[in-house]
mmCIF file of all heavy atoms in Angstrom:
data_model
loop_
_atom_site.group_PDB
_atom_site.id
_atom_site.type_symbol
_atom_site.label_atom_id
_atom_site.label_comp_id
_atom_site.label_asym_id
_atom_site.label_seq_id
_atom_site.Cartn_x
_atom_site.Cartn_y
_atom_site.Cartn_z
ATOM 1 N N GLN F 30 59.941 22.486 250.213
ATOM 2 C CA GLN F 30 60.597 21.196 250.428
ATOM 3 C C GLN F 30 59.673 20.229 251.173
ATOM 4 O O GLN F 30 60.135 19.291 251.809
ATOM 5 C CB GLN F 30 61.890 21.387 251.224
ATOM 6 C CG GLN F 30 62.905 22.274 250.532
ATOM 7 C CD GLN F 30 64.161 22.469 251.359
ATOM 8 O OE1 GLN F 30 64.147 22.338 252.594
ATOM 9 N NE2 GLN F 30 65.252 22.784 250.700
ATOM 10 N N LEU F 31 58.382 20.450 251.072
ATOM 11 C CA LEU F 31 57.445 19.634 251.832
ATOM 12 C C LEU F 31 57.394 18.198 251.314
ATOM 13 O O LEU F 31 57.335 17.248 252.102
ATOM 14 C CB LEU F 31 56.049 20.252 251.796
ATOM 15 C CG LEU F 31 55.908 21.660 252.382
ATOM 16 C CD1 LEU F 31 54.446 22.092 252.364
ATOM 17 C CD2 LEU F 31 56.480 21.743 253.793
ATOM 18 N N MET F 32 57.410 18.028 250.002
ATOM 19 C CA MET F 32 57.275 16.680 249.449
ATOM 20 C C MET F 32 58.491 15.816 249.760
ATOM 21 O O MET F 32 58.377 14.599 249.935
ATOM 22 C CB MET F 32 57.042 16.748 247.947
ATOM 23 C CG MET F 32 55.765 17.482 247.548
ATOM 24 S SD MET F 32 54.243 16.664 248.079
ATOM 25 C CE MET F 32 54.042 15.440 246.785
ATOM 26 N N SER F 33 59.659 16.427 249.835
ATOM 27 C CA SER F 33 60.895 15.697 250.158
ATOM 28 C C SER F 33 61.182 15.701 251.646
ATOM 29 O O SER F 33 62.169 15.075 252.082
ATOM 30 C CB SER F 33 62.079 16.328 249.434
ATOM 31 O OG SER F 33 62.377 17.616 249.974
ATOM 32 N N ALA F 34 60.364 16.419 252.424
ATOM 33 C CA ALA F 34 60.621 16.640 253.853
ATOM 34 C C ALA F 34 61.971 17.302 254.081
ATOM 35 O O ALA F 34 62.546 17.195 255.168
ATOM 36 C CB ALA F 34 60.505 15.337 254.644
ATOM 37 N N GLY F 35 62.497 17.974 253.067
ATOM 38 C CA GLY F 35 63.768 18.662 253.201
ATOM 39 C C GLY F 35 64.979 17.752 253.194
ATOM 40 O O GLY F 35 66.072 18.180 253.561
ATOM 41 N N LEU F 36 64.811 16.517 252.757
ATOM 42 C CA LEU F 36 65.895 15.535 252.727
ATOM 43 C C LEU F 36 66.466 15.454 251.310
ATOM 44 O O LEU F 36 65.751 15.144 250.354
ATOM 45 C CB LEU F 36 65.388 14.173 253.174
ATOM 46 C CG LEU F 36 64.822 14.140 254.611
ATOM 47 C CD1 LEU F 36 64.138 12.823 254.886
ATOM 48 C CD2 LEU F 36 65.935 14.398 255.620
ATOM 49 N N ALA F 37 67.759 15.706 251.173
ATOM 50 C CA ALA F 37 68.385 15.816 249.863
ATOM 51 C C ALA F 37 68.191 14.587 248.964
ATOM 52 O O ALA F 37 67.952 14.748 247.762
ATOM 53 C CB ALA F 37 69.877 16.129 250.023
ATOM 54 N N PRO F 38 68.266 13.356 249.471
ATOM 55 C CA PRO F 38 68.087 12.206 248.572
ATOM 56 C C PRO F 38 66.698 12.139 247.933
ATOM 57 O O PRO F 38 66.517 11.454 246.929
ATOM 58 C CB PRO F 38 68.321 10.999 249.484
ATOM 59 C CG PRO F 38 69.154 11.525 250.604
ATOM 60 C CD PRO F 38 68.658 12.920 250.825
ATOM 61 N N TYR F 39 65.727 12.865 248.514
ATOM 62 C CA TYR F 39 64.354 12.850 248.015
ATOM 63 C C TYR F 39 63.988 14.136 247.277
ATOM 64 O O TYR F 39 62.824 14.369 246.968
ATOM 65 C CB TYR F 39 63.378 12.648 249.179
ATOM 66 C CG TYR F 39 63.512 11.328 249.898
ATOM 67 C CD1 TYR F 39 64.363 11.197 250.991
ATOM 68 C CD2 TYR F 39 62.786 10.212 249.488
ATOM 69 C CE1 TYR F 39 64.486 9.991 251.656
ATOM 70 C CE2 TYR F 39 62.900 9.003 250.154
ATOM 71 C CZ TYR F 39 63.753 8.901 251.240
ATOM 72 O OH TYR F 39 63.874 7.695 251.903
ATOM 73 N N ALA F 40 64.968 14.980 246.974
ATOM 74 C CA ALA F 40 64.696 16.329 246.470
ATOM 75 C C ALA F 40 63.869 16.335 245.195
ATOM 76 O O ALA F 40 63.107 17.280 244.940
ATOM 77 C CB ALA F 40 66.010 17.073 246.246
ATOM 78 N N VAL F 41 63.975 15.290 244.382
ATOM 79 C CA VAL F 41 63.220 15.245 243.134
ATOM 80 C C VAL F 41 61.717 15.298 243.390
ATOM 81 O O VAL F 41 60.942 15.754 242.533
ATOM 82 C CB VAL F 41 63.605 13.980 242.328
ATOM 83 C CG1 VAL F 41 63.129 12.715 243.021
ATOM 84 C CG2 VAL F 41 63.053 14.034 240.910
ATOM 85 N N LEU F 42 61.277 14.889 244.578
ATOM 86 C CA LEU F 42 59.845 14.885 244.894
ATOM 87 C C LEU F 42 59.271 16.295 244.956
ATOM 88 O O LEU F 42 58.060 16.472 244.797
ATOM 89 C CB LEU F 42 59.588 14.177 246.226
ATOM 90 C CG LEU F 42 60.029 12.722 246.342
ATOM 91 C CD1 LEU F 42 59.706 12.186 247.729
ATOM 92 C CD2 LEU F 42 59.386 11.865 245.267
ATOM 93 N N ASP F 43 60.105 17.279 245.204
ATOM 94 C CA ASP F 43 59.624 18.653 245.295
ATOM 95 C C ASP F 43 59.322 19.267 243.936
ATOM 96 O O ASP F 43 58.635 20.294 243.868
ATOM 97 C CB ASP F 43 60.659 19.532 246.013
ATOM 98 C CG ASP F 43 60.805 19.168 247.474
ATOM 99 O OD1 ASP F 43 59.765 18.947 248.132
ATOM 100 O OD2 ASP F 43 61.955 19.105 247.953
ATOM 101 N N GLU F 44 59.806 18.659 242.881
ATOM 102 C CA GLU F 44 59.589 19.215 241.550
ATOM 103 C C GLU F 44 58.134 18.990 241.117
ATOM 104 O O GLU F 44 57.562 17.922 241.356
ATOM 105 C CB GLU F 44 60.540 18.586 240.539
ATOM 106 C CG GLU F 44 62.006 18.852 240.856
ATOM 107 C CD GLU F 44 62.315 20.338 240.903
ATOM 108 O OE1 GLU F 44 61.758 21.096 240.076
ATOM 109 O OE2 GLU F 44 63.099 20.757 241.781
ATOM 110 N N PRO F 45 57.517 19.985 240.463
ATOM 111 C CA PRO F 45 56.115 19.837 240.053
ATOM 112 C C PRO F 45 55.868 18.701 239.061
ATOM 113 O O PRO F 45 54.760 18.173 238.986
ATOM 114 C CB PRO F 45 55.798 21.195 239.417
ATOM 115 C CG PRO F 45 56.774 22.135 240.040
ATOM 116 C CD PRO F 45 58.032 21.343 240.235
ATOM 117 N N THR F 46 56.895 18.330 238.294
ATOM 118 C CA THR F 46 56.796 17.189 237.383
ATOM 119 C C THR F 46 57.989 16.276 237.626
ATOM 120 O O THR F 46 58.952 16.639 238.302
ATOM 121 C CB THR F 46 56.809 17.623 235.909
ATOM 122 O OG1 THR F 46 58.078 18.244 235.611
ATOM 123 C CG2 THR F 46 55.683 18.610 235.616
ATOM 124 N N ARG F 47 57.948 15.087 237.035
ATOM 125 C CA ARG F 47 59.125 14.239 237.066
ATOM 126 C C ARG F 47 60.244 14.911 236.270
ATOM 127 O O ARG F 47 59.983 15.798 235.447
ATOM 128 C CB ARG F 47 58.781 12.857 236.501
ATOM 129 C CG ARG F 47 57.790 12.110 237.392
ATOM 130 C CD ARG F 47 57.519 10.697 236.945
ATOM 131 N NE ARG F 47 56.714 10.617 235.737
ATOM 132 C CZ ARG F 47 56.103 9.509 235.299
ATOM 133 N NH1 ARG F 47 56.241 8.377 235.991
ATOM 134 N NH2 ARG F 47 55.387 9.513 234.202
ATOM 135 N N PRO F 48 61.491 14.516 236.482
ATOM 136 C CA PRO F 48 62.604 15.223 235.829
ATOM 137 C C PRO F 48 62.520 15.278 234.304
ATOM 138 O O PRO F 48 63.052 16.215 233.696
ATOM 139 C CB PRO F 48 63.833 14.433 236.282
ATOM 140 C CG PRO F 48 63.441 13.891 237.618
ATOM 141 C CD PRO F 48 61.982 13.550 237.479
ATOM 142 N N ASP F 49 61.843 14.311 233.683
ATOM 143 C CA ASP F 49 61.731 14.348 232.218
ATOM 144 C C ASP F 49 60.553 15.197 231.746
ATOM 145 O O ASP F 49 60.255 15.250 230.552
ATOM 146 C CB ASP F 49 61.629 12.941 231.643
ATOM 147 C CG ASP F 49 60.353 12.206 232.047
ATOM 148 O OD1 ASP F 49 59.556 12.759 232.857
ATOM 149 O OD2 ASP F 49 60.132 11.074 231.560
ATOM 150 N N GLY F 50 59.875 15.863 232.668
ATOM 151 C CA GLY F 50 58.772 16.745 232.309
ATOM 152 C C GLY F 50 57.412 16.089 232.289
ATOM 153 O O GLY F 50 56.399 16.780 232.114
ATOM 154 N N THR F 51 57.333 14.777 232.478
ATOM 155 C CA THR F 51 56.041 14.100 232.505
ATOM 156 C C THR F 51 55.389 14.267 233.882
ATOM 157 O O THR F 51 56.079 14.423 234.893
ATOM 158 C CB THR F 51 56.184 12.603 232.184
ATOM 159 O OG1 THR F 51 57.088 12.008 233.131
ATOM 160 C CG2 THR F 51 56.714 12.411 230.772
ATOM 161 N N PRO F 52 54.056 14.248 233.939
ATOM 162 C CA PRO F 52 53.385 14.463 235.228
ATOM 163 C C PRO F 52 53.651 13.316 236.203
ATOM 164 O O PRO F 52 53.828 12.155 235.798
ATOM 165 C CB PRO F 52 51.896 14.517 234.851
ATOM 166 C CG PRO F 52 51.868 14.745 233.379
ATOM 167 C CD PRO F 52 53.102 14.124 232.827
ATOM 168 N N TRP F 53 53.678 13.641 237.478
ATOM 169 C CA TRP F 53 53.664 12.590 238.487
ATOM 170 C C TRP F 53 52.341 11.831 238.389
ATOM 171 O O TRP F 53 51.292 12.435 238.199
ATOM 172 C CB TRP F 53 53.796 13.193 239.880
ATOM 173 C CG TRP F 53 55.149 13.765 240.173
ATOM 174 C CD1 TRP F 53 55.486 15.085 240.178
ATOM 175 C CD2 TRP F 53 56.336 13.044 240.498
ATOM 176 N NE1 TRP F 53 56.816 15.234 240.492
ATOM 177 C CE2 TRP F 53 57.363 13.991 240.700
ATOM 178 C CE3 TRP F 53 56.635 11.685 240.654
ATOM 179 C CZ2 TRP F 53 58.672 13.625 241.038
ATOM 180 C CZ3 TRP F 53 57.934 11.320 240.993
ATOM 181 C CH2 TRP F 53 58.930 12.274 241.180
ATOM 182 N N PRO F 54 52.355 10.502 238.468
ATOM 183 C CA PRO F 54 51.096 9.753 238.427
ATOM 184 C C PRO F 54 50.147 10.219 239.521
ATOM 185 O O PRO F 54 50.562 10.505 240.649
ATOM 186 C CB PRO F 54 51.538 8.308 238.646
ATOM 187 C CG PRO F 54 52.963 8.274 238.191
ATOM 188 C CD PRO F 54 53.525 9.608 238.562
ATOM 189 N N ALA F 55 48.870 10.307 239.187
ATOM 190 C CA ALA F 55 47.857 10.772 240.134
ATOM 191 C C ALA F 55 46.684 9.797 240.135
ATOM 192 O O ALA F 55 46.232 9.353 239.071
ATOM 193 C CB ALA F 55 47.378 12.177 239.767
ATOM 194 N N MET F 56 46.175 9.501 241.305
ATOM 195 C CA MET F 56 45.026 8.608 241.441
ATOM 196 C C MET F 56 43.745 9.389 241.176
ATOM 197 O O MET F 56 43.546 10.488 241.699
ATOM 198 C CB MET F 56 44.989 8.005 242.835
ATOM 199 C CG MET F 56 43.807 7.092 243.085
ATOM 200 S SD MET F 56 43.865 6.357 244.736
ATOM 201 C CE MET F 56 42.285 5.495 244.758
ATOM 202 N N ALA F 57 42.859 8.815 240.377
ATOM 203 C CA ALA F 57 41.562 9.433 240.123
ATOM 204 C C ALA F 57 40.681 9.306 241.359
ATOM 205 O O ALA F 57 40.539 8.217 241.930
ATOM 206 C CB ALA F 57 40.891 8.756 238.934
ATOM 207 N N VAL F 58 40.104 10.421 241.803
ATOM 208 C CA VAL F 58 39.229 10.442 242.969
ATOM 209 C C VAL F 58 37.968 11.228 242.625
ATOM 210 O O VAL F 58 37.909 11.927 241.611
ATOM 211 C CB VAL F 58 39.930 11.052 244.201
ATOM 212 C CG1 VAL F 58 41.095 10.181 244.652
ATOM 213 C CG2 VAL F 58 40.393 12.473 243.912
ATOM 214 N N THR F 59 36.960 11.145 243.494
ATOM 215 C CA THR F 59 35.661 11.768 243.252
ATOM 216 C C THR F 59 35.420 12.896 244.248
ATOM 217 O O THR F 59 35.548 12.683 245.456
ATOM 218 C CB THR F 59 34.542 10.717 243.390
ATOM 219 O OG1 THR F 59 34.786 9.645 242.474
ATOM 220 C CG2 THR F 59 33.186 11.337 243.099
ATOM 221 N N PRO F 60 35.054 14.078 243.771
ATOM 222 C CA PRO F 60 34.716 15.155 244.713
ATOM 223 C C PRO F 60 33.604 14.706 245.665
ATOM 224 O O PRO F 60 32.601 14.133 245.248
ATOM 225 C CB PRO F 60 34.246 16.289 243.805
ATOM 226 C CG PRO F 60 34.873 16.023 242.476
ATOM 227 C CD PRO F 60 34.943 14.524 242.367
ATOM 228 N N GLY F 61 33.802 14.947 246.953
ATOM 229 C CA GLY F 61 32.812 14.552 247.940
ATOM 230 C C GLY F 61 32.835 13.084 248.298
ATOM 231 O O GLY F 61 32.052 12.650 249.158
ATOM 232 N N GLY F 62 33.720 12.322 247.670
ATOM 233 C CA GLY F 62 33.799 10.893 247.944
ATOM 234 C C GLY F 62 34.618 10.590 249.186
ATOM 235 O O GLY F 62 35.146 11.476 249.855
ATOM 236 N N THR F 63 34.723 9.311 249.492
ATOM 237 C CA THR F 63 35.510 8.846 250.624
ATOM 238 C C THR F 63 36.749 8.131 250.101
ATOM 239 O O THR F 63 36.648 7.266 249.234
ATOM 240 C CB THR F 63 34.695 7.901 251.517
ATOM 241 O OG1 THR F 63 33.542 8.607 251.994
ATOM 242 C CG2 THR F 63 35.509 7.436 252.707
ATOM 243 N N LEU F 64 37.894 8.498 250.618
ATOM 244 C CA LEU F 64 39.166 7.943 250.162
ATOM 245 C C LEU F 64 39.799 7.146 251.286
ATOM 246 O O LEU F 64 39.938 7.636 252.406
ATOM 247 C CB LEU F 64 40.100 9.078 249.737
ATOM 248 C CG LEU F 64 41.493 8.689 249.239
ATOM 249 C CD1 LEU F 64 41.397 7.873 247.962
ATOM 250 C CD2 LEU F 64 42.344 9.931 249.012
ATOM 251 N N GLN F 65 40.167 5.901 250.986
ATOM 252 C CA GLN F 65 40.890 5.102 251.968
ATOM 253 C C GLN F 65 42.378 5.421 251.888
ATOM 254 O O GLN F 65 42.994 5.265 250.843
ATOM 255 C CB GLN F 65 40.682 3.601 251.733
ATOM 256 C CG GLN F 65 41.466 2.745 252.731
ATOM 257 C CD GLN F 65 41.278 1.261 252.488
ATOM 258 O OE1 GLN F 65 40.235 0.693 252.813
ATOM 259 N NE2 GLN F 65 42.276 0.625 251.910
#
């Protein structure tokens, strides 16, 4: 329950994908790079 912080209104965040099965959007990053 880490992604939802254990709060029921946010429970969908704990699922590995969105409810329709599509991936959660992810930002492209570079190994060894600096992220703001």
